[in-house]
Amino acid sequence: MITRQRLAAGLCALLAALAVGGLPPTQASADETDQKPAPQVELVLDVSGSMRARDMDGGSRMAAAKQAFNEVLDATPEEVRLGIRTLGANYPGDDRKTGCKDTEQLYPVGPLDRTEAKTAVATLQPTGWTPIGPALLKAAGDFGSGEGSKRIVLISDGEDTCQPLDPCEVAREISAKGIGLTIDTLGLVADAKTREQLSCIADATGGTYTAVHHKDQLTDKVGQLVDRAADPVVTPVAVEGAAQCASAPQIKSGLYTDREKFGEHRFYRVDVEPGQELRASVSVAADRAVNQDYGVLLRAVTTHGREIVRGQESGDGRTDAISTGLRYPKPDQDDDDAAAGTETVCLQVSNSFSAPASVKTTPGLPVELTVDLVDGPDQASDVAAFGLGNGWWLLAALVVVGFLAGVVWGWISRWRVAVWRTN
């Protein structure tokens, strides 16, 4: 027992030392935070006539939304640039053409004056139509040109009433612009059609959909989405792949987004230094109905077109996304260009998706490409027998311990037998 306690204590100390050693200085972290681009968020609120319904904990949907906005505005982080846009807030009439233009920016995306924003929200009354598509188009233009994360939080209780402008198609067009805009959707007591439409909007931009039935749930979820914008895990970079390696964009370690047509392949170029390992993965999302039997291929090839390594995945039936990856552990020393120093590796992303005749194929499917360049294994010491790399010593230690334990146990067994016979 004492031995186990000592081993556990030693392991904890080792992990603690590694954790502390891997952390940057506090001041450096603060400096990095100060230099981060300001995140931008716009809350898009449905103020159509159906928001009068009193099915949110005994109160109206509009009252629940106002309460959520007031609490979220109080808790919004200082670094967030927040704005508010409405849809269906002004026109109470029956003219569809006029009703489908009823969207306005209630508060501009920028530094937040909480009192002014709350006052603007307090004046809202459920009024008109539900022009979700037109509102999203306008909202996409409300953001500044900064490099920080951009997020729309759409809150609605019904499906769009301004067809044929399909809000799902609008969301795909926004995503295809490569501005890094995510749309999250919240459905207030939504029916099946509304849930399907709001989920489609979110899926098209990599966002989330949440069904909401209670006031506190609405407040909590809006607050979480605003906080998420303030502290994103990674901000993706929009990039446009090329049809040939020679004209492909140069990328480094990071997360990239693109759009790829059905059945298309695109190239991206990565420089790999001697001793580095290239790790890459790709996901292609099916943000609309697709036919069965599909696949995704990720290839690493030389600039001369010779394949180095590949990763591929296929499926059959319904899917939301399909992913694959590859590793390229070192420059190919048989290649004169690689042996001379830096090697340019071309990543080819291909898909074999197809769409039913009734489905619009433009813009293309969302592509998410992750690239990482790390120190590669050293042939002299890291690549060991059995393909275990640095783990060979652990195997050797286990073999030795097992052998010694067997000898000791055998000796004890023989001793017990001898004692038994003597007695």
Side-chain angles (χ1 to χ4, degrees), residues 227-294:
D227 289 341
R228 185 181 300 173
D231 190 24
V233 177
V234 178
T235 301
V237 177
V239 65
E240 185 174 352
Q244 301 293 333
C245 177
S247 55
Q250 195 80 30
I251 60 177
K252 301 178 181 179
S253 292
L255 177 63
Y256 299 89
T257 59
D258 198 357
R259 284 270 174 173
E260 190 170 76
K261 297 177 182 178
F262 284 79
E264 186 183 26
H265 65 261
R266 290 196 168 192
F267 284 92
Y268 312 84
R269 294 159 62 95
V270 183
D271 283 342
V272 182
E273 300 289 343
Q276 285 187 328
E277 178 174 277
L278 168 62
R279 301 175 183 177
S281 62
V282 66
S283 294
V284 179
D287 63 350
R288 69 209 77 175
V290 297
N291 291 326
Q292 294 184 341
D293 300 322
Y294 46 77

Short mmCIF file of all heavy atoms in Angstrom, two decimals, residues 227-294:
data_model
loop_
_atom_site.label_atom_id
_atom_site.label_comp_id
_atom_site.label_asym_id
_atom_site.label_seq_id
_atom_site.Cartn_x
_atom_site.Cartn_y
_atom_site.Cartn_z
N ASP A 227 -20.84 34.63 -24.35
CA ASP A 227 -19.55 34.33 -23.71
C ASP A 227 -18.67 33.49 -24.63
O ASP A 227 -17.45 33.65 -24.66
CB ASP A 227 -19.78 33.56 -22.40
CG ASP A 227 -20.38 34.45 -21.32
OD1 ASP A 227 -20.28 35.69 -21.45
OD2 ASP A 227 -20.96 33.90 -20.35
N ARG A 228 -19.28 32.60 -25.40
CA ARG A 228 -18.51 31.76 -26.33
C ARG A 228 -17.84 32.62 -27.39
O ARG A 228 -16.71 32.34 -27.80
CB ARG A 228 -19.43 30.72 -26.98
CG ARG A 228 -18.70 29.73 -27.87
CD ARG A 228 -19.69 28.75 -28.49
NE ARG A 228 -20.41 28.00 -27.48
CZ ARG A 228 -21.42 27.17 -27.75
NH1 ARG A 228 -21.85 27.03 -29.00
NH2 ARG A 228 -22.01 26.51 -26.78
N ALA A 229 -18.52 33.64 -27.84
CA ALA A 229 -17.92 34.55 -28.82
C ALA A 229 -16.74 35.29 -28.23
O ALA A 229 -15.76 35.57 -28.92
CB ALA A 229 -18.98 35.54 -29.32
N ALA A 230 -16.82 35.58 -26.93
CA ALA A 230 -15.74 36.31 -26.27
C ALA A 230 -14.50 35.45 -26.08
O ALA A 230 -13.38 35.97 -25.99
CB ALA A 230 -16.21 36.84 -24.92
N ASP A 231 -14.67 34.16 -26.02
CA ASP A 231 -13.53 33.26 -25.77
C ASP A 231 -13.60 32.05 -26.68
O ASP A 231 -13.78 30.92 -26.23
CB ASP A 231 -13.53 32.82 -24.31
CG ASP A 231 -12.25 32.09 -23.94
OD1 ASP A 231 -11.23 32.31 -24.62
OD2 ASP A 231 -12.28 31.30 -22.98
N PRO A 232 -13.49 32.26 -28.01
CA PRO A 232 -13.54 31.12 -28.93
C PRO A 232 -12.31 30.25 -28.77
O PRO A 232 -11.23 30.73 -28.45
CB PRO A 232 -13.58 31.78 -30.31
CG PRO A 232 -12.89 33.10 -30.11
CD PRO A 232 -13.22 33.52 -28.71
N VAL A 233 -12.48 28.94 -28.98
CA VAL A 233 -11.34 28.02 -28.88
C VAL A 233 -10.34 28.33 -29.98
O VAL A 233 -9.16 28.51 -29.74
CB VAL A 233 -11.83 26.57 -28.99
CG1 VAL A 233 -10.66 25.61 -28.96
CG2 VAL A 233 -12.80 26.25 -27.86
N VAL A 234 -10.79 28.41 -31.20
CA VAL A 234 -9.95 28.73 -32.36
C VAL A 234 -10.79 29.56 -33.32
O VAL A 234 -11.96 29.27 -33.53
CB VAL A 234 -9.45 27.46 -33.08
CG1 VAL A 234 -8.63 27.83 -34.30
CG2 VAL A 234 -8.63 26.58 -32.15
N THR A 235 -10.20 30.59 -33.87
CA THR A 235 -10.88 31.38 -34.89
C THR A 235 -10.47 30.85 -36.26
O THR A 235 -9.32 30.95 -36.66
CB THR A 235 -10.52 32.87 -34.79
OG1 THR A 235 -10.88 33.35 -33.50
CG2 THR A 235 -11.25 33.67 -35.85
N PRO A 236 -11.40 30.22 -37.01
CA PRO A 236 -11.03 29.68 -38.32
C PRO A 236 -10.67 30.79 -39.30
O PRO A 236 -11.18 31.91 -39.21
CB PRO A 236 -12.30 28.94 -38.77
CG PRO A 236 -13.27 28.98 -37.66
CD PRO A 236 -12.81 30.03 -36.70
N VAL A 237 -9.81 30.46 -40.25
CA VAL A 237 -9.40 31.39 -41.29
C VAL A 237 -10.00 30.93 -42.61
O VAL A 237 -9.85 29.77 -42.99
CB VAL A 237 -7.86 31.45 -41.40
CG1 VAL A 237 -7.44 32.36 -42.54
CG2 VAL A 237 -7.24 31.90 -40.08
N ALA A 238 -10.69 31.83 -43.30
CA ALA A 238 -11.27 31.49 -44.60
C ALA A 238 -10.17 31.43 -45.65
O ALA A 238 -9.28 32.28 -45.71
CB ALA A 238 -12.32 32.52 -44.99
N VAL A 239 -10.21 30.39 -46.49
CA VAL A 239 -9.23 30.21 -47.55
C VAL A 239 -9.95 29.60 -48.75
O VAL A 239 -10.97 28.93 -48.59
CB VAL A 239 -8.07 29.29 -47.07
CG1 VAL A 239 -8.57 27.89 -46.79
CG2 VAL A 239 -6.93 29.27 -48.06
N GLU A 240 -9.43 29.86 -49.93
CA GLU A 240 -10.04 29.31 -51.13
C GLU A 240 -9.04 28.42 -51.85
O GLU A 240 -8.03 28.91 -52.38
CB GLU A 240 -10.52 30.43 -52.07
CG GLU A 240 -11.28 29.91 -53.28
CD GLU A 240 -11.88 31.03 -54.12
OE1 GLU A 240 -11.84 32.20 -53.67
OE2 GLU A 240 -12.38 30.74 -55.23
N GLY A 241 -9.28 27.12 -51.83
CA GLY A 241 -8.39 26.18 -52.50
C GLY A 241 -8.41 26.35 -54.01
O GLY A 241 -9.34 26.93 -54.58
N ALA A 242 -7.38 25.82 -54.66
CA ALA A 242 -7.25 25.94 -56.11
C ALA A 242 -7.43 24.58 -56.77
O ALA A 242 -7.34 23.53 -56.14
CB ALA A 242 -5.88 26.51 -56.46
N ALA A 243 -7.67 24.62 -58.07
CA ALA A 243 -7.88 23.39 -58.83
C ALA A 243 -6.56 22.66 -59.10
O ALA A 243 -6.55 21.47 -59.38
CB ALA A 243 -8.57 23.71 -60.16
N GLN A 244 -5.42 23.37 -59.00
CA GLN A 244 -4.11 22.78 -59.24
C GLN A 244 -3.16 23.15 -58.10
O GLN A 244 -3.29 24.22 -57.49
CB GLN A 244 -3.52 23.27 -60.57
CG GLN A 244 -4.38 22.96 -61.78
CD GLN A 244 -4.48 21.48 -62.08
OE1 GLN A 244 -3.57 20.71 -61.73
NE2 GLN A 244 -5.57 21.06 -62.71
N CYS A 245 -2.19 22.30 -57.86
CA CYS A 245 -1.23 22.55 -56.79
C CYS A 245 -0.41 23.82 -57.05
O CYS A 245 -0.12 24.58 -56.14
CB CYS A 245 -0.30 21.35 -56.64
SG CYS A 245 1.00 21.57 -55.40
N ALA A 246 -0.08 24.05 -58.31
CA ALA A 246 0.79 25.19 -58.64
C ALA A 246 0.17 26.52 -58.24
O ALA A 246 0.88 27.47 -57.90
CB ALA A 246 1.09 25.19 -60.14
N SER A 247 -1.14 26.63 -58.28
CA SER A 247 -1.81 27.89 -57.95
C SER A 247 -2.49 27.86 -56.59
O SER A 247 -3.28 28.74 -56.26
CB SER A 247 -2.85 28.22 -59.02
OG SER A 247 -3.77 27.16 -59.20
N ALA A 248 -2.18 26.84 -55.76
CA ALA A 248 -2.85 26.67 -54.47
C ALA A 248 -2.38 27.72 -53.47
O ALA A 248 -1.23 28.17 -53.51
CB ALA A 248 -2.58 25.28 -53.94
N PRO A 249 -3.24 28.11 -52.53
CA PRO A 249 -2.84 29.08 -51.50
C PRO A 249 -1.87 28.44 -50.51
O PRO A 249 -1.95 27.25 -50.22
CB PRO A 249 -4.17 29.43 -50.82
CG PRO A 249 -5.03 28.24 -51.05
CD PRO A 249 -4.65 27.71 -52.40
N GLN A 250 -0.95 29.26 -49.98
CA GLN A 250 0.02 28.79 -49.00
C GLN A 250 -0.61 28.91 -47.61
O GLN A 250 -1.10 29.96 -47.23
CB GLN A 250 1.28 29.65 -49.07
CG GLN A 250 2.48 29.06 -48.35
CD GLN A 250 3.18 28.00 -49.17
OE1 GLN A 250 3.17 28.05 -50.39
NE2 GLN A 250 3.79 27.04 -48.50
N ILE A 251 -0.63 27.81 -46.83
CA ILE A 251 -1.19 27.84 -45.49
C ILE A 251 -0.18 27.31 -44.50
O ILE A 251 0.77 26.60 -44.86
CB ILE A 251 -2.50 27.04 -45.41
CG1 ILE A 251 -2.27 25.57 -45.79
CG2 ILE A 251 -3.57 27.65 -46.31
CD1 ILE A 251 -3.51 24.71 -45.65
N LYS A 252 -0.38 27.66 -43.23
CA LYS A 252 0.50 27.23 -42.14
C LYS A 252 -0.35 26.46 -41.12
O LYS A 252 -1.50 26.14 -41.39
CB LYS A 252 1.18 28.44 -41.50
CG LYS A 252 2.02 29.26 -42.46
CD LYS A 252 2.62 30.46 -41.77
CE LYS A 252 3.46 31.31 -42.72
NZ LYS A 252 4.04 32.51 -42.05
N SER A 253 0.22 26.20 -39.95
CA SER A 253 -0.56 25.53 -38.91
C SER A 253 -1.77 26.38 -38.55
O SER A 253 -1.67 27.59 -38.38
CB SER A 253 0.31 25.33 -37.66
OG SER A 253 1.33 24.39 -37.91
N GLY A 254 -2.93 25.75 -38.46
CA GLY A 254 -4.14 26.48 -38.11
C GLY A 254 -5.39 25.76 -38.57
O GLY A 254 -5.34 24.64 -39.09
N LEU A 255 -6.53 26.43 -38.38
CA LEU A 255 -7.83 25.91 -38.78
C LEU A 255 -8.37 26.76 -39.92
O LEU A 255 -8.43 27.98 -39.81
CB LEU A 255 -8.79 25.94 -37.59
CG LEU A 255 -10.23 25.50 -37.84
CD1 LEU A 255 -10.28 24.04 -38.25
CD2 LEU A 255 -11.09 25.73 -36.60
N TYR A 256 -8.77 26.11 -41.01
CA TYR A 256 -9.19 26.82 -42.21
C TYR A 256 -10.58 26.34 -42.65
O TYR A 256 -10.94 25.17 -42.46
CB TYR A 256 -8.19 26.59 -43.35
CG TYR A 256 -6.80 27.08 -43.02
CD1 TYR A 256 -5.88 26.25 -42.39
CD2 TYR A 256 -6.41 28.38 -43.33
CE1 TYR A 256 -4.61 26.69 -42.07
CE2 TYR A 256 -5.13 28.84 -43.02
CZ TYR A 256 -4.24 27.99 -42.39
OH TYR A 256 -2.99 28.44 -42.07
N THR A 257 -11.34 27.26 -43.25
CA THR A 257 -12.64 26.91 -43.79
C THR A 257 -12.70 27.25 -45.27
O THR A 257 -12.08 28.21 -45.72
CB THR A 257 -13.77 27.66 -43.05
OG1 THR A 257 -13.56 29.09 -43.17
CG2 THR A 257 -13.81 27.29 -41.59
N ASP A 258 -13.45 26.46 -46.01
CA ASP A 258 -13.60 26.65 -47.44
C ASP A 258 -14.95 26.08 -47.86
O ASP A 258 -15.68 25.51 -47.05
CB ASP A 258 -12.44 25.95 -48.18
CG ASP A 258 -12.26 26.46 -49.61
OD1 ASP A 258 -13.06 27.31 -50.05
OD2 ASP A 258 -11.34 25.99 -50.29
N ARG A 259 -15.29 26.23 -49.13
CA ARG A 259 -16.49 25.62 -49.71
C ARG A 259 -16.08 24.84 -50.95
O ARG A 259 -15.33 25.36 -51.79
CB ARG A 259 -17.51 26.71 -50.09
CG ARG A 259 -18.26 27.29 -48.91
CD ARG A 259 -19.53 26.52 -48.63
NE ARG A 259 -20.19 26.97 -47.42
CZ ARG A 259 -21.38 26.55 -47.04
NH1 ARG A 259 -22.04 25.68 -47.77
NH2 ARG A 259 -21.92 26.97 -45.92
N GLU A 260 -16.54 23.62 -51.05
CA GLU A 260 -16.16 22.76 -52.15
C GLU A 260 -17.41 22.25 -52.88
O GLU A 260 -18.35 21.77 -52.24
CB GLU A 260 -15.35 21.57 -51.62
CG GLU A 260 -14.70 20.73 -52.69
CD GLU A 260 -13.73 19.73 -52.10
OE1 GLU A 260 -14.18 18.72 -51.55
OE2 GLU A 260 -12.50 19.97 -52.18
N LYS A 261 -17.40 22.36 -54.20
CA LYS A 261 -18.53 21.89 -54.99
C LYS A 261 -18.67 20.38 -54.87
O LYS A 261 -17.74 19.67 -54.49
CB LYS A 261 -18.34 22.27 -56.46
CG LYS A 261 -18.30 23.76 -56.72
CD LYS A 261 -18.04 24.04 -58.20
CE LYS A 261 -17.94 25.54 -58.47
NZ LYS A 261 -17.64 25.82 -59.90
N PHE A 262 -19.85 19.87 -55.20
CA PHE A 262 -20.09 18.43 -55.21
C PHE A 262 -19.14 17.76 -56.21
O PHE A 262 -19.05 18.18 -57.37
CB PHE A 262 -21.54 18.12 -55.58
CG PHE A 262 -22.52 18.39 -54.47
CD1 PHE A 262 -22.93 19.68 -54.19
CD2 PHE A 262 -23.01 17.35 -53.70
CE1 PHE A 262 -23.84 19.93 -53.17
CE2 PHE A 262 -23.91 17.59 -52.68
CZ PHE A 262 -24.33 18.88 -52.41
N GLY A 263 -18.41 16.73 -55.76
CA GLY A 263 -17.51 16.00 -56.64
C GLY A 263 -16.26 16.76 -57.03
O GLY A 263 -15.59 16.38 -57.99
N GLU A 264 -15.89 17.78 -56.30
CA GLU A 264 -14.74 18.63 -56.66
C GLU A 264 -13.50 18.22 -55.86
O GLU A 264 -13.60 17.56 -54.82
CB GLU A 264 -15.07 20.09 -56.38
CG GLU A 264 -13.99 21.07 -56.85
CD GLU A 264 -14.33 22.52 -56.49
OE1 GLU A 264 -15.07 22.73 -55.52
OE2 GLU A 264 -13.84 23.43 -57.18
N HIS A 265 -12.31 18.61 -56.34
CA HIS A 265 -11.11 18.50 -55.54
C HIS A 265 -10.40 19.86 -55.53
O HIS A 265 -10.44 20.61 -56.49
CB HIS A 265 -10.16 17.41 -56.06
CG HIS A 265 -9.60 17.67 -57.42
ND1 HIS A 265 -10.10 17.10 -58.56
CD2 HIS A 265 -8.56 18.45 -57.83
CE1 HIS A 265 -9.42 17.51 -59.61
NE2 HIS A 265 -8.47 18.33 -59.19
N ARG A 266 -9.77 20.17 -54.38
CA ARG A 266 -9.07 21.45 -54.20
C ARG A 266 -7.71 21.20 -53.57
O ARG A 266 -7.54 20.26 -52.78
CB ARG A 266 -9.90 22.39 -53.33
CG ARG A 266 -11.16 22.90 -54.03
CD ARG A 266 -11.75 24.10 -53.32
NE ARG A 266 -12.77 24.73 -54.13
CZ ARG A 266 -13.29 25.92 -53.88
NH1 ARG A 266 -12.90 26.60 -52.81
NH2 ARG A 266 -14.20 26.45 -54.66
N PHE A 267 -6.76 22.10 -53.88
CA PHE A 267 -5.39 21.97 -53.39
C PHE A 267 -5.02 23.13 -52.48
O PHE A 267 -5.48 24.27 -52.65
CB PHE A 267 -4.41 21.94 -54.57
CG PHE A 267 -4.37 20.63 -55.31
CD1 PHE A 267 -5.20 20.41 -56.41
CD2 PHE A 267 -3.51 19.63 -54.91
CE1 PHE A 267 -5.15 19.22 -57.10
CE2 PHE A 267 -3.46 18.43 -55.59
CZ PHE A 267 -4.28 18.22 -56.69
N TYR A 268 -4.14 22.80 -51.50
CA TYR A 268 -3.56 23.78 -50.58
C TYR A 268 -2.09 23.41 -50.39
O TYR A 268 -1.75 22.22 -50.36
CB TYR A 268 -4.29 23.74 -49.22
CG TYR A 268 -5.79 23.77 -49.34
CD1 TYR A 268 -6.52 22.60 -49.56
CD2 TYR A 268 -6.50 24.96 -49.25
CE1 TYR A 268 -7.89 22.61 -49.69
CE2 TYR A 268 -7.88 24.99 -49.38
CZ TYR A 268 -8.57 23.81 -49.60
OH TYR A 268 -9.95 23.82 -49.74
N ARG A 269 -1.22 24.41 -50.24
CA ARG A 269 0.22 24.15 -50.14
C ARG A 269 0.70 24.42 -48.71
O ARG A 269 0.33 25.41 -48.09
CB ARG A 269 0.99 25.05 -51.11
CG ARG A 269 0.71 24.73 -52.58
CD ARG A 269 1.05 25.91 -53.49
NE ARG A 269 2.45 26.28 -53.44
CZ ARG A 269 3.37 25.85 -54.30
NH1 ARG A 269 3.03 25.04 -55.29
NH2 ARG A 269 4.61 26.23 -54.20
N VAL A 270 1.55 23.51 -48.22
CA VAL A 270 2.14 23.63 -46.89
C VAL A 270 3.64 23.39 -46.99
O VAL A 270 4.07 22.41 -47.60
CB VAL A 270 1.53 22.60 -45.90
CG1 VAL A 270 2.10 22.81 -44.50
CG2 VAL A 270 0.01 22.71 -45.88
N ASP A 271 4.44 24.27 -46.39
CA ASP A 271 5.90 24.09 -46.35
C ASP A 271 6.27 23.29 -45.11
O ASP A 271 5.90 23.66 -43.98
CB ASP A 271 6.61 25.44 -46.32
CG ASP A 271 6.63 26.11 -47.69
OD1 ASP A 271 6.41 25.39 -48.69
OD2 ASP A 271 6.85 27.33 -47.76
N VAL A 272 7.00 22.18 -45.32
CA VAL A 272 7.42 21.31 -44.22
C VAL A 272 8.94 21.39 -44.09
O VAL A 272 9.67 21.05 -45.02
CB VAL A 272 6.98 19.85 -44.47
CG1 VAL A 272 7.38 18.97 -43.29
CG2 VAL A 272 5.48 19.78 -44.71
N GLU A 273 9.41 21.86 -42.93
CA GLU A 273 10.84 21.98 -42.69
C GLU A 273 11.44 20.60 -42.37
O GLU A 273 10.73 19.70 -41.91
CB GLU A 273 11.10 22.92 -41.52
CG GLU A 273 10.58 24.33 -41.70
CD GLU A 273 11.37 25.12 -42.72
OE1 GLU A 273 12.51 24.68 -43.03
OE2 GLU A 273 10.89 26.17 -43.18
N PRO A 274 12.74 20.41 -42.63
CA PRO A 274 13.39 19.14 -42.26
C PRO A 274 13.20 18.86 -40.78
O PRO A 274 13.33 19.76 -39.94
CB PRO A 274 14.87 19.40 -42.59
CG PRO A 274 14.83 20.45 -43.66
CD PRO A 274 13.67 21.33 -43.31
N GLY A 275 12.82 17.63 -40.45
CA GLY A 275 12.61 17.26 -39.05
C GLY A 275 11.20 17.52 -38.55
O GLY A 275 10.88 17.20 -37.41
N GLN A 276 10.33 18.10 -39.37
CA GLN A 276 8.96 18.34 -38.95
C GLN A 276 8.04 17.20 -39.39
O GLN A 276 8.35 16.45 -40.31
CB GLN A 276 8.43 19.66 -39.53
CG GLN A 276 8.96 20.90 -38.85
CD GLN A 276 8.27 22.15 -39.36
OE1 GLN A 276 7.87 22.23 -40.52
NE2 GLN A 276 8.13 23.15 -38.49
N GLU A 277 6.90 17.11 -38.71
CA GLU A 277 5.85 16.18 -39.11
C GLU A 277 4.60 16.98 -39.45
O GLU A 277 4.17 17.84 -38.67
CB GLU A 277 5.55 15.20 -37.99
CG GLU A 277 4.42 14.23 -38.32
CD GLU A 277 4.22 13.16 -37.27
OE1 GLU A 277 4.95 12.16 -37.31
OE2 GLU A 277 3.35 13.34 -36.40
N LEU A 278 4.02 16.72 -40.60
CA LEU A 278 2.79 17.36 -41.03
C LEU A 278 1.61 16.48 -40.63
O LEU A 278 1.56 15.30 -40.99
CB LEU A 278 2.79 17.57 -42.55
CG LEU A 278 1.45 17.97 -43.19
CD1 LEU A 278 0.97 19.31 -42.66
CD2 LEU A 278 1.57 17.99 -44.70
N ARG A 279 0.69 17.07 -39.89
CA ARG A 279 -0.54 16.38 -39.53
C ARG A 279 -1.70 17.21 -40.07
O ARG A 279 -1.77 18.41 -39.84
CB ARG A 279 -0.67 16.23 -38.02
CG ARG A 279 0.47 15.45 -37.38
CD ARG A 279 0.37 15.41 -35.87
NE ARG A 279 1.50 14.72 -35.27
CZ ARG A 279 1.68 14.59 -33.96
NH1 ARG A 279 0.80 15.10 -33.11
NH2 ARG A 279 2.74 13.96 -33.49
N ALA A 280 -2.60 16.57 -40.77
CA ALA A 280 -3.71 17.29 -41.38
C ALA A 280 -4.98 16.45 -41.27
O ALA A 280 -4.93 15.22 -41.32
CB ALA A 280 -3.42 17.61 -42.85
N SER A 281 -6.11 17.13 -41.09
CA SER A 281 -7.40 16.45 -41.08
C SER A 281 -8.41 17.35 -41.77
O SER A 281 -8.26 18.57 -41.80
CB SER A 281 -7.86 16.14 -39.65
OG SER A 281 -8.03 17.33 -38.91
N VAL A 282 -9.44 16.74 -42.34
CA VAL A 282 -10.44 17.50 -43.06
C VAL A 282 -11.82 16.93 -42.75
O VAL A 282 -11.98 15.72 -42.56
CB VAL A 282 -10.18 17.48 -44.59
CG1 VAL A 282 -10.36 16.07 -45.15
CG2 VAL A 282 -11.07 18.46 -45.31
N SER A 283 -12.80 17.83 -42.66
CA SER A 283 -14.20 17.44 -42.50
C SER A 283 -15.01 18.15 -43.57
O SER A 283 -14.81 19.35 -43.81
CB SER A 283 -14.73 17.82 -41.12
OG SER A 283 -14.08 17.08 -40.11
N VAL A 284 -15.90 17.42 -44.20
CA VAL A 284 -16.84 18.00 -45.17
C VAL A 284 -18.24 17.77 -44.62
O VAL A 284 -18.63 16.63 -44.36
CB VAL A 284 -16.68 17.36 -46.56
CG1 VAL A 284 -17.69 17.96 -47.54
CG2 VAL A 284 -15.27 17.56 -47.09
N ALA A 285 -18.98 18.86 -44.43
CA ALA A 285 -20.31 18.77 -43.83
C ALA A 285 -21.38 18.69 -44.91
O ALA A 285 -21.33 19.40 -45.91
CB ALA A 285 -20.56 19.99 -42.93
N ALA A 286 -22.34 17.81 -44.68
CA ALA A 286 -23.50 17.72 -45.57
C ALA A 286 -24.58 18.64 -45.00
O ALA A 286 -25.39 18.23 -44.18
CB ALA A 286 -23.98 16.28 -45.65
N ASP A 287 -24.56 19.91 -45.42
CA ASP A 287 -25.49 20.88 -44.87
C ASP A 287 -26.82 20.90 -45.61
O ASP A 287 -27.60 21.84 -45.46
CB ASP A 287 -24.86 22.28 -44.86
CG ASP A 287 -24.54 22.78 -46.25
OD1 ASP A 287 -24.63 21.98 -47.21
OD2 ASP A 287 -24.18 23.97 -46.39
N ARG A 288 -27.07 19.90 -46.42
CA ARG A 288 -28.34 19.74 -47.13
C ARG A 288 -28.49 18.25 -47.47
O ARG A 288 -27.60 17.45 -47.21
CB ARG A 288 -28.36 20.60 -48.39
CG ARG A 288 -27.42 20.14 -49.49
CD ARG A 288 -26.93 21.25 -50.37
NE ARG A 288 -25.90 22.05 -49.73
CZ ARG A 288 -25.25 23.03 -50.33
NH1 ARG A 288 -25.54 23.35 -51.56
NH2 ARG A 288 -24.32 23.70 -49.70
N ALA A 289 -29.62 17.88 -48.05
CA ALA A 289 -29.83 16.48 -48.41
C ALA A 289 -28.83 16.03 -49.46
O ALA A 289 -28.56 16.74 -50.43
CB ALA A 289 -31.26 16.28 -48.91
N VAL A 290 -28.24 14.84 -49.27
CA VAL A 290 -27.29 14.29 -50.23
C VAL A 290 -27.67 12.84 -50.54
O VAL A 290 -28.37 12.18 -49.77
CB VAL A 290 -25.84 14.34 -49.69
CG1 VAL A 290 -25.39 15.76 -49.47
CG2 VAL A 290 -25.70 13.53 -48.40
N ASN A 291 -27.18 12.36 -51.67
CA ASN A 291 -27.42 10.98 -52.05
C ASN A 291 -26.56 10.03 -51.21
O ASN A 291 -25.56 10.43 -50.60
CB ASN A 291 -27.09 10.76 -53.53
CG ASN A 291 -28.07 11.46 -54.44
OD1 ASN A 291 -29.25 11.56 -54.13
ND2 ASN A 291 -27.59 11.95 -55.58
N GLN A 292 -26.96 8.78 -51.18
CA GLN A 292 -26.18 7.76 -50.50
C GLN A 292 -24.88 7.48 -51.27
O GLN A 292 -24.73 7.87 -52.41
CB GLN A 292 -26.99 6.48 -50.36
CG GLN A 292 -28.20 6.62 -49.45
CD GLN A 292 -28.93 5.32 -49.26
OE1 GLN A 292 -28.76 4.40 -50.03
NE2 GLN A 292 -29.73 5.23 -48.22
N ASP A 293 -23.96 6.81 -50.55
CA ASP A 293 -22.66 6.44 -51.12
C ASP A 293 -21.82 7.69 -51.41
O ASP A 293 -21.88 8.26 -52.50
CB ASP A 293 -22.82 5.61 -52.40
CG ASP A 293 -23.58 4.32 -52.17
OD1 ASP A 293 -23.37 3.72 -51.10
OD2 ASP A 293 -24.37 3.92 -53.03
N TYR A 294 -21.04 8.08 -50.45
CA TYR A 294 -20.23 9.29 -50.55
C TYR A 294 -18.89 9.05 -49.86
O TYR A 294 -18.73 8.08 -49.11
CB TYR A 294 -20.95 10.48 -49.90
CG TYR A 294 -21.52 10.14 -48.54
CD1 TYR A 294 -20.70 10.06 -47.42
CD2 TYR A 294 -22.86 9.85 -48.40
CE1 TYR A 294 -21.22 9.72 -46.19
CE2 TYR A 294 -23.39 9.49 -47.17
CZ TYR A 294 -22.56 9.43 -46.06
OH TYR A 294 -23.08 9.06 -44.84
#
